[in-house]
Amino acid sequence: MRKRAIVSVLFLFSLLFLLPDQGRKLHANAEDSSDEVTDPPKVEKKLGGHGGLSTDSDVVQESESISKKSLRSSGEKFEFQAEVSRLMDIIINSLYSNKDIFLRELISNASDALDKIRFLALTDKDVLGEGDTAKLEIQIKLDKAKKILSIRDRGIGMTKEDLIKNLGTIAQSGTSVRISKKINVFNVLVEKMQSSGDLNLIGQFGVGFYSAYLVADYIEVISKHSDDNQHVWESKADGKFTVSEDTWNEPLGRGTEIRLHLRDDAGGYLEGSKLKDLVKRYSEFINFPIHLWASKEVETEVPVEEDESAEEESETTSTEEEKEEDAEEEDSEKKQKTKKVKETVHEWELLNDVKAMWLRSPKEVTDEEYTKFYHSLAKDFSEEKPTAWSHFNAEGDVEFKAVLYVPPKAAHDQYESYYNSNKANLKLFVRRVFISDEFDELLPKYLSFLKGLVDSDTLPLNVSREMLQQHSSLKTIKKNLIRKTLDMIRKLAEEDPDEVHDDDKKDMEKSGENDEKKGQYTKFWKDFGKSIKLGIIEDASNRNRLAKLLRFETTKSNGKLTSLDQYIKRMKKGQKDVFYITGSSKKQLEKSPFLERLIKKGYEVIFFTDPVDEYLMQYLMDYEDKKFQNVSKEGLKVGKDSKVKELKEAFKDLTKWWKESLAGENVDDVKISNRLADTLCVVVTSKFGWSANMERIMQSQTLSDAKKQAYMRGKRVLEINLRHPIIKELKDRVASDPEDGSVKETAQLMYQTALIESGFILNDPKDFAGRIYNSVKSSLKISPDAVPEEEVEAEETETSEEDEIRWWSEH
């Protein structure tokens, strides 16, 4: 026994002697002798898949120290640039809720690396290499046991110098600004991110890589460039990182692999379904295939063992055996018995197999495909088709592709907090990489109801919202989007049979194309007409284009909508102004005294009943050389009256007396009216002051200021209908006795009544009511001094509590 033990010990010592002492080698190469000595991980045989990423649970074989997240002692140590350390400290200690963007950033970086090698391959095909190395793709692999998420690309890769420069300092690529100026801007952005927690700033200056520390506390970057050996960059984001020549991992051939050692609270990113959703959301339309190493259950046929076959045969009856004996012997020679079993297999699953629809020619895309894409884009699961869409490519100095949709109906909160919200429904892509769906700088607010996407090849990928706002290409993109949107809406109106002029309607009816598109613009206007009006207010450069899209009812439209072009076409000969009136409802306006003479003479008047119309008409001063005239304001000219001068002179004493009687009512003047037919008198406002409807709107504002409103309130002018018998009688009474109190009372009452009929709100309703009651007394021949009788009060008697209880019980 003792001899055999000695022999065994000697054998073990000989084995240990033969093994290479990797630990001592690493220790000899270490710069800091106090660091822990570690053995490099061994490379185990791949079980399948593409080079660089192992399969199943063998993503990485790490040494003990690496699993404890200690930096490799054999590496050359560096310190992060101060600005990067600040950024990483903010990220690591952040409480950001949306950490998903790390995958977007890393996939975007991988896509950029693939773009670079693809560009080099245009002039040198050999740069791609051969076999798997030549495949331009992105691979994602996860190891649940070790909490490692790996992302691999076959891009251009990084040299040792690139790893130090790109991952340890502010990236110098992607901008032409000097590095000193760049650092100053970067400092400002880091401070903003620290105070606001805006994740959109993470991608600034190509530092999107550091967003990986949102989910990982230790990262390895393995990279191979054609001009250098394979190296490993690793860091715990503690202010230091190391770079080592990689002699233990499997050769990549070319490209980069990032291994994220996930935090304990980031375990959700180890689920394949979670990664699929993120890739579908952010990177579905990347130009290069993205593969995920996934598992699935499949049914396979396996041979049946002899024991199982014997059991099956024993279950058959002897009779059956005799009958089928010959047939089974013949079949067994031809076919071996098998059975179906379920087993788990692993394979690379393509995640972005859907080609970007907007990259195709609009002629190749069917209406059904546009509708399906809209439902997917807008997350609208109804069966309604979008009202309209526009798919176009813009070329030139600024290149981009866009698909814009008009939704089938307005959102329930379409105009809530219009000026305070940053709501946008346009997704921004840069080179097929999703950037944001909350970017509100591509379209003005009045077009925020649109849904769609913009994919630009000109905008930089890793920029913040603040930088994009200043980017020169953005203004060009915005201008093109507005123009295309207005063309799309105009076309929507042109194709609607209800919008066609009578001269062309017969031709369209014959063509039979009016069924589906009939009434489509009327529906659009009811849902989004307010947006067009807001656009006229806000967008001076497109005001005339937007004005062509206006729709409204008029005194001659018979309940249908009409346009300014149609109104102008129907204008009377010699009519110079476009007449309109504003109010709270069409029903109210149809009875307005301001329309009496205009309607009698055959003029058409536009009804504006939306509160925003009052603001609209302050900006829409003219259209096609025609001025707009509010018929409730002074300055209205309706034909010519040869006797105007004579009439003015005849009623001069009455108008002067009436103006003096209303001195305390803020009445600027009393004039003879040319707009009344049957009504006694009306009150009009000055041309540039508020109308009665505008005064009502402003007074209903929650935070309205009466003192400030007094400056904007227009001066009031009382216009009288000299053809009315009451006015003629009043003229005679004033001529006989201008100091008659009853005549003054009547004149005051007539003015207050005219205020109400003209749409104004009385400042003193009780005074008006008192005058009405006095008038009633006079008509009933009741003395003006008569007052209501005094009330006779009954004496109150004290009742006991018992009496009250008895009373309530009886009643």
Side-chain angles (χ1 to χ4, degrees):
M1 290 291 291
R2 184 176 297 176
K3 289 181 180 179
R4 278 184 288 182
I6 293 172
V7 172
S8 299
V9 170
L10 290 174
F11 179 72
L12 289 173
F13 271 112
S14 64
L15 286 176
L16 292 172
F17 179 76
L18 292 173
L19 288 172
D21 190 354
Q22 298 288 357
R24 282 194 291 273
K25 289 182 181 179
L26 292 173
H27 182 72
N29 293 332
E31 291 186 6
D32 189 352
S33 60
S34 63
D35 288 344
E36 182 181 350
V37 180
T38 60
D39 291 331
K42 298 177 182 179
V43 180
E44 295 189 2
K45 185 179 179 181
K46 278 199 316 178
L47 298 179
H50 301 237
L53 278 180
S54 302
T55 56
D56 295 334
S57 62
D58 301 318
V59 179
V60 185
Q61 273 295 46
E62 296 186 275
S63 64
E64 182 181 356
S65 63
I66 295 300
S67 65
K68 293 179 180 178
K69 302 180 179 63
S70 297
L71 300 188
R72 205 176 302 276
S73 58
S74 62
E76 188 177 353
K77 291 181 173 57
F78 301 90
E79 289 188 359
F80 283 112
Q81 191 177 10
E83 287 76 18
V84 175
S85 294
R86 289 176 59 201
L87 173 68
M88 294 172 71
D89 182 63
I90 295 171
I91 293 174
I92 293 169
N93 298 298
S94 68
L95 296 175
Y96 297 145
S97 58
N98 180 21
K99 300 181 180 182
D100 298 344
I101 65 154
F102 85 92
L103 192 64
R104 178 195 78 183
E105 294 294 337
L106 296 183
I107 291 178
S108 298
N109 291 344
S111 177
D112 287 343
L114 290 166
D115 274 326
K116 289 177 181 178
I117 196 67
R118 184 172 61 178
F119 177 75
L120 294 176
L122 296 176
T123 55
D124 184 7
K125 294 183 179 179
D126 296 334
V127 74
L128 289 179
E130 298 178 352
D132 288 341
T133 306
K135 296 179 180 179
L136 300 181
E137 60 186 357
I138 300 170
Q139 299 170 343
I140 302 174
K141 184 68 170 57
L142 53 87
D143 185 342
K144 292 184 178 181
K146 296 176 181 176
K147 295 184 179 179
I148 298 175
L149 173 63
S150 300
I151 301 171
R152 160 77 192 279
D153 69 74
R154 301 182 187 279
I156 194 168
M158 289 181 282
T159 64
K160 176 182 178 181
E161 183 182 353
D162 292 335
L163 287 169
I164 297 170
K165 179 180 65 175
N166 294 340
L167 305 185
T169 62
I170 300 174
Q172 298 183 36
S173 60
T175 181
S176 59
V177 186
R178 292 182 180 179
I179 190 65
S180 58
K181 181 179 179 181
K182 196 172 184 182
I183 291 175
N184 292 333
V185 177
F186 178 82
N187 288 333
V188 174
L189 293 174
V190 168
E191 290 175 4
K192 282 188 177 182
M193 195 177 78
Q194 190 170 11
S195 60
S196 65
D198 186 359
L199 282 173
N200 290 298
L201 300 176
I202 288 180
Q204 180 64 30
F205 299 117
V207 296
F209 164 77
Y210 301 112
S211 64
Y213 283 101
L214 287 167
V215 297
D217 52 9
Y218 171 71
I219 296 177
E220 292 177 276
V221 180
I222 306 165
S223 193
K224 174 67 173 73
H225 191 281
S226 300
D227 298 335
D228 200 353
N229 297 328
Q230 185 165 306
H231 286 82
V232 178
W233 179 100
E234 54 184 332
S235 175
K236 294 169 61 179
D238 55 356
K240 296 181 294 184
F241 65 92
T242 65
V243 179
S244 314
E245 185 172 345
D246 187 5
T247 58
W248 54 90
N249 286 303
E250 183 177 350
L252 298 180
R254 186 196 64 252
T256 301
E257 178 183 341
I258 299 176
R259 297 174 181 171
L260 308 179
H261 297 251
L262 299 179
R263 298 182 182 183
D264 293 336
D265 59 354
Y269 297 104
L270 292 172
E271 298 296 332
S273 58
K274 173 80 170 178
L275 297 178
K276 290 179 186 178
D277 290 341
L278 293 181
V279 172
K280 290 285 185 182
R281 180 184 178 191
Y282 289 109
S283 308
E284 183 178 6
F285 302 110
I286 287 286
N287 276 338
F288 305 97
I290 303 172
H291 292 97
L292 173 67
W293 185 249
S295 63
K296 66 178 182 179
E297 287 189 348
V298 295
E299 285 189 350
T300 58
E301 291 189 355
V302 297
V304 178
E305 297 181 2
E306 294 182 2
D307 295 342
E308 295 179 5
S309 179
E311 291 177 2
E312 292 176 1
E313 291 178 359
S314 64
E315 293 176 359
T316 61
T317 63
S318 59
T319 306
E320 291 174 342
E321 288 180 354
E322 293 174 358
K323 292 180 179 179
E324 300 177 0
E325 184 176 354
D326 296 335
E328 288 180 356
E329 288 178 358
E330 293 177 1
D331 293 340
S332 62
E333 294 176 0
K334 299 178 182 178
K335 180 180 177 182
Q336 187 179 9
K337 290 186 176 182
T338 61
K339 65 176 182 178
K340 291 184 178 181
V341 296
K342 288 185 178 181
E343 62 179 22
T344 302
V345 297
H346 292 77
E347 62 182 5
W348 292 106
E349 180 181 348
L350 184 63
L351 301 183
N352 58 335
D353 55 343
V354 179
K355 184 180 179 181
M357 186 271 289
W358 64 87
L359 298 180
R360 297 158 58 188
S361 169
K363 296 179 181 178
E364 300 174 358
V365 187
T366 64
D367 290 356
E368 184 180 359
E369 287 177 309
Y370 279 120
T371 301
K372 287 183 178 179
F373 186 71
Y374 166 78
H375 288 155
S376 173
L377 186 72
K379 293 180 174 58
D380 181 357
F381 301 104
S382 67
E383 296 182 357
E384 293 183 276
K385 290 178 60 177
T387 303
W389 57 78
S390 177
H391 179 194
F392 60 93
N393 302 334
E395 298 178 351
D397 295 336
V398 178
E399 296 183 358
F400 69 94
K401 301 171 180 63
V403 181
L404 303 175
Y405 289 96
V406 175
K409 57 184 177 182
H412 67 280
D413 59 344
Q414 182 68 46
Y415 301 106
E416 291 182 10
S417 303
Y418 176 78
Y419 288 105
N420 297 325
S421 66
N422 293 321
K423 180 174 60 176
N425 295 313
L426 213 60
K427 294 181 183 291
L428 174 63
F429 285 76
V430 176
R431 298 192 290 278
R432 270 64 67 198
V433 178
F434 174 67
I435 299 301
S436 175
D437 56 2
E438 297 180 353
F439 193 77
D440 58 348
E441 305 301 326
L442 289 172
L443 284 174
K445 280 186 179 295
Y446 69 88
L447 293 179
S448 62
F449 65 88
L450 292 176
K451 296 182 184 294
L453 61 83
V454 176
D455 185 1
S456 172
D457 291 331
T458 308
L459 291 173
L461 184 60
N462 288 321
V463 295
S464 69
R465 183 174 298 161
E466 287 80 0
M467 296 299 294
L468 274 177
Q469 290 173 350
Q470 305 300 324
H471 202 276
S472 57
S473 299
L474 189 66
K475 294 181 180 178
T476 304
I477 293 175
K478 185 175 182 178
K479 184 177 180 181
N480 276 275
L481 290 177
I482 295 174
R483 180 172 56 82
K484 287 291 186 180
T485 298
L486 299 185
D487 288 344
M488 172 177 61
I489 298 173
R490 177 184 53 79
K491 185 179 179 182
L492 187 69
E494 291 175 350
E495 294 176 348
D496 186 348
D498 290 343
E499 290 284 320
V500 179
H501 295 294
D502 294 334
D503 299 338
D504 305 322
K505 189 172 290 187
K506 293 181 180 179
D507 297 334
M508 178 165 282
E509 288 177 352
K510 290 179 181 179
S511 66
E513 298 178 355
N514 59 338
D515 293 335
E516 185 178 352
K517 297 180 179 180
K518 187 177 180 64
Q520 62 181 3
Y521 193 78
T522 301
K523 183 178 182 299
F524 165 82
W525 184 256
K526 289 179 179 178
D527 285 331
F528 306 109
K530 193 187 294 288
S531 295
I532 303 300
K533 296 175 182 179
L534 290 169
I536 294 174
I537 295 171
E538 299 169 6
D539 191 354
S541 59
N542 290 292
R543 189 163 290 157
N544 193 61
R545 285 184 177 182
L546 288 162
K548 286 184 177 294
L549 304 176
L550 275 177
R551 296 295 182 272
F552 38 76
E553 290 187 58
T554 71
T555 53
K556 291 184 177 182
S557 64
N558 298 320
K560 296 183 178 180
L561 295 179
T562 190
S563 66
L564 285 172
D565 289 329
Q566 291 170 330
Y567 178 95
I568 291 174
K569 188 177 180 180
R570 296 195 294 259
M571 285 176 64
K572 288 188 64 174
K573 186 177 180 180
Q575 181 180 345
K576 297 181 179 179
D577 297 334
V578 176
F579 299 131
Y580 72 93
I581 186 171
T582 60
S584 57
S585 69
K586 176 189 172 185
K587 186 176 181 180
Q588 174 207 359
L589 293 178
E590 286 176 329
K591 301 175 181 178
S592 174
F594 296 106
L595 305 181
E596 292 176 352
R597 192 154 181 253
L598 289 167
I599 292 175
K600 269 191 174 182
K601 288 187 170 289
Y603 290 99
E604 186 175 8
V605 183
I606 297 171
F607 295 135
F608 281 133
T609 57
D610 194 335
V612 75
D613 292 335
E614 285 285 354
Y615 301 93
L616 166 70
M617 300 314 295
Q618 294 177 23
Y619 292 87
L620 190 62
M621 307 300 293
D622 57 78
Y623 179 79
E624 300 293 344
D625 298 327
K626 303 292 183 181
K627 299 290 183 180
F628 286 91
Q629 173 64 52
N630 189 334
V631 299
S632 68
K633 292 188 175 184
E634 64 177 354
L636 179 67
K637 296 179 181 179
V638 184
K640 294 182 179 180
D641 194 337
S642 58
K643 298 182 179 180
V644 172
K645 290 184 179 179
E646 298 178 9
L647 293 171
K648 283 184 178 181
E649 188 65 28
F651 283 83
K652 182 178 180 181
D653 293 337
L654 175 63
T655 54
K656 183 180 179 182
W657 172 86
W658 209 335
K659 179 181 178 181
E660 293 174 352
S661 301
L662 300 175
E665 297 290 342
N666 192 31
V667 176
D668 188 54
D669 201 359
V670 178
K671 296 181 178 179
I672 295 173
S673 178
N674 67 339
R675 72 185 84 206
L676 297 177
D678 302 319
T679 302
L680 182 66
C681 56
V682 291
V683 178
V684 301
T685 54
S686 56
K687 190 170 185 179
F688 299 104
W690 283 349
S691 65
N693 186 54
M694 188 63 175
E695 281 192 26
R696 180 181 55 81
I697 293 172
M698 295 307 297
Q699 288 177 11
S700 64
Q701 300 295 320
T702 306
L703 302 177
S704 61
D705 188 336
K707 292 182 179 179
K708 292 182 179 179
Q709 290 177 11
Y711 292 104
M712 292 302 297
R713 182 180 296 163
K715 290 186 177 181
R716 298 170 181 176
V717 176
L718 177 65
E719 291 191 359
I720 58 176
N721 183 0
L722 55 85
R723 297 178 180 84
H724 201 282
I726 294 179
I727 296 298
K728 291 181 178 180
E729 179 63 22
L730 190 64
K731 174 179 174 292
D732 295 339
R733 293 283 186 96
V734 170
S736 61
D737 186 4
E739 298 300 326
D740 188 343
S742 62
V743 175
K744 289 184 178 181
E745 183 76 9
T746 301
Q748 187 74 20
L749 182 59
M750 289 169 61
Y751 168 71
Q752 290 179 328
T753 304
L755 279 175
I756 296 174
E757 193 173 15
S758 302
F760 291 93
I761 298 175
L762 295 177
N763 294 330
D764 191 354
K766 188 171 181 61
D767 179 66
F768 171 71
R771 297 179 189 278
I772 290 291
Y773 297 147
N774 289 336
S775 178
V776 172
K777 286 181 180 179
S778 177
S779 64
L780 296 176
K781 298 181 179 181
I782 299 174
S783 172
D785 300 327
V787 295
E789 296 180 356
E790 292 287 340
E791 180 182 355
V792 179
E793 296 184 2
E795 294 184 2
E796 294 184 2
T797 58
E798 295 184 3
T799 58
S800 64
E801 185 176 346
E802 294 179 357
D803 294 334
E804 289 184 4
I805 295 173
R806 188 182 302 111
W807 187 89
W808 283 110
S809 64
E810 291 175 355
H811 292 80

